[in-house]
């Protein structure tokens, strides 16, 4: 394992002159995730956090498959994390006024609607993982499109404009559900007082004044997850809006770049501080990993895992089950950078299942130790398809499967097979990305909770046959938001900021891994079809991302 150490060059706030060693400023990052809300403050010199505060968020599940959160509770927790962090800064003899700017990163696709005049939510936020809209998705799949006669033609038609295919994941289906099931929402739309947005829009509107002049914006990365933005023009697309039958009186946020001054905080300890960065969480992690060049890729290993591949200034429309998304746009007058994205439903949640459901391990650390105690899985493979397979298979009828069990199988073999299963799923996505682009990925940057494990990363580099690069500073999502905010006001230069990393190099031959990959593919085949009726679902391959 080698260590890479790079110097970081910075530029002074607003003056764009190089900072001296004695000068230091700070940039804040609001990181509003699915399970927690955080505020972190990064040093302009080290780009490491100097203070932070985190509060857990609460999910509301009224029915099976429904996941909601209270928007006002989220806003209150954001303000609380800012206040507590500022108190921590004062205890370190750092004035909150030293924070030059604030960036926002957020859970993507989560959908909100609120009243323009009262500022009150018209319904809870519907969270990205919510599944209530499947029947709405099916309805639009069956909708007629001029000159599109097959499901595949429909798929390409919408995918070329939005980069996405039809799935409950995306914001538009949540919005349609709200219009059709919450009378107050449809009434507010007709009266032209219904504001629509993702979590970033809700937070920035409130933090910049709300009903008293709040700025109603979103950025290109979050807008690209709604299925209503044209990824080529970076504008709300009338053809998409008409296809999904969205009324013209809905109030959309203005689409802006990820790095510019949108407005200023209006109250609290950071009053008058500019909000100058906005970027969806997975794109923020790509930014925090410094993946600024086409061909660079990052994978975040959390509950699931999300792999983004920087494709440069031109969008690549996938033919291998991936999404096309906007990676970032760093400033009003810069070109957008695009990415391919593949997501795996189960990563860290598989280890949680072993701990909480099977009770055969008491912590992730002890699982690491057990997995490291055996050289291989003794021939078993674990496909953790608890709720179907995501990219690149998109099989909702797949279910978790363990193959190759013998009397010699131990819990240590199962621990290792679980980690390998997550790695093989990652390899599947990498291969799809390489097929779509025609270019190999030369290294994989990683972050997220599972990336703290050396054992896991050693398995990952061998399975994927790639160097795996882990940053020393693992708060990459929040750092990405801070970088976007800092770039806008000259705290940092995009072309000079670098990261310090550990690199893991494979120790097994590609031939050894090829034979294992063949067995993995057999295990995938065994997992598909377990949750399907006798009649084939003709839409199964289409309803994916």
């Amino acid at each position: 394992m080698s260590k890479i150490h790079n110097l970081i060059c910075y530029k002074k706030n607003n003056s764009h002159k190089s900072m001296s060693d004695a000068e230091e400023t700070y940039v804040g990052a609001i990181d509003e995730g699915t399970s927690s809300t955080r505020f972190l403050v990064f040093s302009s010199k080290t780009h490491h956090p100097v203070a932070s505060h985190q509060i857990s968020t609460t999910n509301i599940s009224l029915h099976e498959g429904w996941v909601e959160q209270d928007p006002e509770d989220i806003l209150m927790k954001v303000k609380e994390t800012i206040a507590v962090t500022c108190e921590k800064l004062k205890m370190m003899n750092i004035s909150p006024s030293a924070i030059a700017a604030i960036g926002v990163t957020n859970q993507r696709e989560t959908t909100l609607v609120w009243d323009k005049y009262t500022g009150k939510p018209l319904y809870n936020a519907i969270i990205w993982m919510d599944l209530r809209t499947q029947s709405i998705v099916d309805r639009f799949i069956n909708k007629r499109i001029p000159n599109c006669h097959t499901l595949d033609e429909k798929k390409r038609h919408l995918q070329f404009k939005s980069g996405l295919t039809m799935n409950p994941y995306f914001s538009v289906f949540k919005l349609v559900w709200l219009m059709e099931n919450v009378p107050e929402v449809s009434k507010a739309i007709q009266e032209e007082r219904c504001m629509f947005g993702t979590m970033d829009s809700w937070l920035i509107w409130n933090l910049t004044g709300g009903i008293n002049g709040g700025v109603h914006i979103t950025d290109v990365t979050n807008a690209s997850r709604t299925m209503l933005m044209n990824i080529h023009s970076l504008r709300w697309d009338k053809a998409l809006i008409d296809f999904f039958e969205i009324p013209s009186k809905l109030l959309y946020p203005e689409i802006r770049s990820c790095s510019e001054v949108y407005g200023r905080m209006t109250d609290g300890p950071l009053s008058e501080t500019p909000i100058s960065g906005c970027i969806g969480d997975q794109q923020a992690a790509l930014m925090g990993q410094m993946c600024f060049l086409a061909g660079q890729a990052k994978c975040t290993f959390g509950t699931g895992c999300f792999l983004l591949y920087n494709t440069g200034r031109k969008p690549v429309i996938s033919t291998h089950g991936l999404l096309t998304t906007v990676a970032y746009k760093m400033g009003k007058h810069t070109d957008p950078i695009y990415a391919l994205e593949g997501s795996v439903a189960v990563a860290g949640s598989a280890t949680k299942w072993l701990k909480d459901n099977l009770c055969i391990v008491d912590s992730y650390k002890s699982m690491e130790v057990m997995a490291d105690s055996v050289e291989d899985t003794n021939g078993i493979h674990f496909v953790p398809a608890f709720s179907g397979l995501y990219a690149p298979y998109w099989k909702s009828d797949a279910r978790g499967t363990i193959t190759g069990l013998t009397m010699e199988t131990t819990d240590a073999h199962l621990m290792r097979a679980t980690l390998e299963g997550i790695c093989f799923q990652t390899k599947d996505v990498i291969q799809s990305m390489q097929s779509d682009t025609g270019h190999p990925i030369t290294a994989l940057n990683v972050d997220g909770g599972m990336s703290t494990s050396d054992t896991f990363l050693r398995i990952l580099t061998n399975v994927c046959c790639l160097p795996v690069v882990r940053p020393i500073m693992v708060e990459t999502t929040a750092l990405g938001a801070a970088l976007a905010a800092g770039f806008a006001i000259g705290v940092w230069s995009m072309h000079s900021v670098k990261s310090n990393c550990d690199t893991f190099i494979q120790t097994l031959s590609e031939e050894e891994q090829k034979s294992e990959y063949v067995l993995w593919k057999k295990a995938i085949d065994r997992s598909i079809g377990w949750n399907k009726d006798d009649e084939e679902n003709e839409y199964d391959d289409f309803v994916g991302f």
Side-chain angles (χ1 to χ4, degrees):
M1 185 169 64
S2 64
K3 292 195 174 183
I4 305 168
H5 298 285
N6 300 294
L7 296 176
I8 303 168
C9 299
Y10 299 102
K11 293 190 176 182
K12 187 177 179 181
N13 176 16
N14 295 325
S15 70
H16 294 269
K17 295 178 181 178
S18 296
M19 297 176 66
S20 71
D21 289 342
E23 294 171 322
E24 185 170 22
T25 188
Y26 301 90
V27 179
I30 296 168
D31 183 356
E32 200 296 297
T34 310
S35 58
S36 70
T37 296
R38 305 189 301 162
F39 184 68
L40 301 88
V41 177
F42 290 85
S43 163
S44 62
K45 284 189 172 183
T46 65
H47 75 298
H48 283 212
V50 296
S52 65
H53 188 64
Q54 177 172 334
I55 303 174
S56 295
T57 51
T58 303
N59 287 345
I60 302 166
S61 183
L62 302 176
H63 304 282
E64 183 180 354
W66 291 31
V67 189
E68 301 175 1
Q69 289 178 354
D70 180 348
E72 292 184 304
D73 181 59
I74 297 291
L75 177 63
M76 179 186 70
K77 286 175 176 174
V78 166
K79 291 181 176 181
E80 183 179 345
T81 59
I82 291 172
V84 172
T85 304
C86 286
E87 288 302 312
K88 291 180 180 180
L89 289 175
K90 290 177 184 177
M91 294 173 66
M92 300 165 61
N93 293 319
I94 298 173
S95 170
S97 63
I99 297 177
I102 296 169
V104 176
T105 185
N106 57 284
Q107 49 172 302
R108 304 173 304 169
E109 296 93 18
T110 293
T111 304
L112 300 95
V113 284
W114 65 97
D115 191 294
K116 175 182 178 179
Y117 299 111
T118 68
K120 297 294 183 182
L122 297 169
Y123 191 80
N124 283 333
I126 301 182
I127 304 306
W128 59 272
M129 66 181 76
D130 188 284
L131 296 175
R132 76 185 71 182
T133 59
Q134 185 61 65
S135 62
I136 296 173
V137 173
D138 294 340
R139 190 175 82 216
F140 281 108
I141 287 172
N142 287 316
K143 184 174 180 178
R144 290 182 179 277
I145 302 176
N147 302 317
C148 293
H149 306 292
T150 67
L151 290 175
D152 191 54
E153 287 174 341
K154 289 182 181 182
K155 176 180 177 180
R156 289 199 303 270
H157 174 80
L158 295 174
Q159 191 177 6
F160 177 78
K161 280 181 172 286
S162 69
L164 314 174
T165 57
M166 291 199 239
N167 190 280
Y169 197 57
F170 302 114
S171 304
V172 66
F173 300 109
K174 298 169 173 56
L175 175 61
V176 171
W177 186 92
L178 288 164
M179 293 189 306
E180 295 179 351
N181 292 274
V182 183
E184 179 57 28
V185 173
S186 56
K187 181 182 178 183
I189 292 174
Q190 290 305 312
E191 295 175 358
E192 296 189 57
R193 56 183 173 86
C194 181
M195 304 185 81
F196 155 71
T198 42
M199 192 62 78
D200 55 307
S201 303
W202 165 253
L203 292 178
I204 292 173
W205 185 77
N206 279 283
L207 294 175
T208 58
I211 60 174
N212 297 311
V215 180
H216 190 207
I217 66 103
T218 188
D219 82 293
V220 290
T221 67
N222 280 293
S224 74
R225 312 299 292 190
T226 63
M227 213 170 178
L228 293 172
M229 187 192 84
N230 186 309
I231 59 170
H232 308 281
S233 68
L234 305 184
R235 296 178 179 177
W236 301 119
D237 188 276
K238 187 177 185 304
L240 291 171
I241 290 170
D242 289 346
F243 176 82
F244 291 110
E245 302 168 17
I246 310 298
S248 60
K249 294 180 180 180
L250 183 68
L251 304 177
Y252 295 88
E254 180 186 357
I255 300 174
R256 306 275 284 272
S257 79
C258 304
S259 183
E260 59 180 278
V261 176
Y262 313 111
R264 294 179 180 271
M265 298 279 288
T266 55
D267 59 18
L270 298 181
S271 180
E272 295 302 317
T273 304
I275 298 177
S276 57
C278 180
I279 186 167
D281 56 4
Q282 297 306 321
Q283 286 93 332
L286 187 76
M287 175 72 57
Q289 289 273 22
M290 319 297 175
C291 293
F292 300 143
L293 301 177
Q296 292 183 308
K298 75 89 195 174
C299 192
T300 299
F301 292 96
T303 302
C305 74
F306 295 85
L307 204 159
L308 268 71
Y309 177 107
N310 184 327
T311 60
R313 290 179 169 82
K314 291 186 178 179
V316 175
I317 304 301
S318 177
T319 58
H320 293 82
L322 304 176
L323 308 178
T324 304
T325 194
V326 180
Y328 56 83
K329 176 177 164 62
M330 286 295 121
K332 293 180 181 180
H333 307 297
T334 64
D335 292 331
I337 300 299
Y338 293 92
L340 284 172
E341 177 173 334
S343 53
V344 173
V346 176
S349 54
T351 67
K352 189 174 187 295
W353 176 75
L354 293 174
K355 182 173 88 67
D356 296 344
N357 292 43
L358 298 193
C359 302
I360 59 175
V361 65
D362 58 10
S363 68
Y364 183 51
K365 184 63 181 175
S366 58
M367 178 182 175
E368 252 189 286
V369 173
M370 292 173 68
D372 218 14
S373 69
V374 291
E375 292 184 358
D376 55 39
T377 67
N378 196 36
I380 70 169
H381 284 84
F382 177 22
V383 181
F386 296 129
S387 55
L389 288 168
Y390 281 19
Y393 302 103
W394 300 117
K395 294 293 185 181
S396 60
D397 61 349
R399 286 298 178 265
T401 305
I402 302 173
T403 64
L405 292 168
T406 68
M407 289 294 290
E408 286 72 41
T409 301
T410 67
D411 52 1
H413 293 129
L414 180 57
M415 301 299 116
R416 192 172 187 92
T418 302
L419 298 182
E420 283 195 3
I422 296 164
C423 297
F424 277 120
Q425 289 181 108
T426 306
K427 183 183 181 77
D428 288 335
V429 175
I430 288 172
Q431 291 206 329
S432 293
M433 289 180 168
Q434 292 177 159
S435 296
D436 276 330
T437 62
H439 298 289
I441 295 174
T442 56
L444 182 63
N445 296 269
V446 297
D447 54 69
M450 292 189 70
S451 71
T452 61
S453 165
D454 287 4
T455 297
F456 174 67
L457 296 190
R458 283 195 291 269
I459 294 172
L460 182 65
T461 191
N462 280 321
V463 166
C464 295
C465 301
L466 285 173
V468 170
V469 181
R470 178 180 64 195
I472 300 296
M473 204 291 294
V474 296
E475 297 287 2
T476 54
T477 302
L479 176 61
L483 289 176
F487 293 153
I489 62 169
V491 172
W492 291 294
S493 165
M494 187 172 179
H495 300 292
S496 59
V497 64
K498 305 292 181 184
S499 63
N500 301 323
C501 304
D502 291 335
T503 302
F504 294 77
I505 305 297
Q506 69 189 79
T507 56
L508 295 183
S509 70
E510 290 193 24
E511 286 303 315
E512 290 175 287
Q513 283 309 318
K514 281 180 181 177
S515 62
E516 284 299 309
Y517 194 51
V518 169
L519 293 175
W520 165 256
K521 287 293 190 179
K522 287 184 178 180
I524 286 286
D525 290 342
R526 303 293 190 276
S527 75
I528 294 171
W530 284 103
N531 196 46
K532 180 177 282 189
D533 295 332
D534 290 337
E535 275 188 39
E536 289 289 321
N537 180 356
E538 64 178 315
Y539 305 123
D540 194 45
D541 292 330
F542 176 68
V543 179
F545 287 74

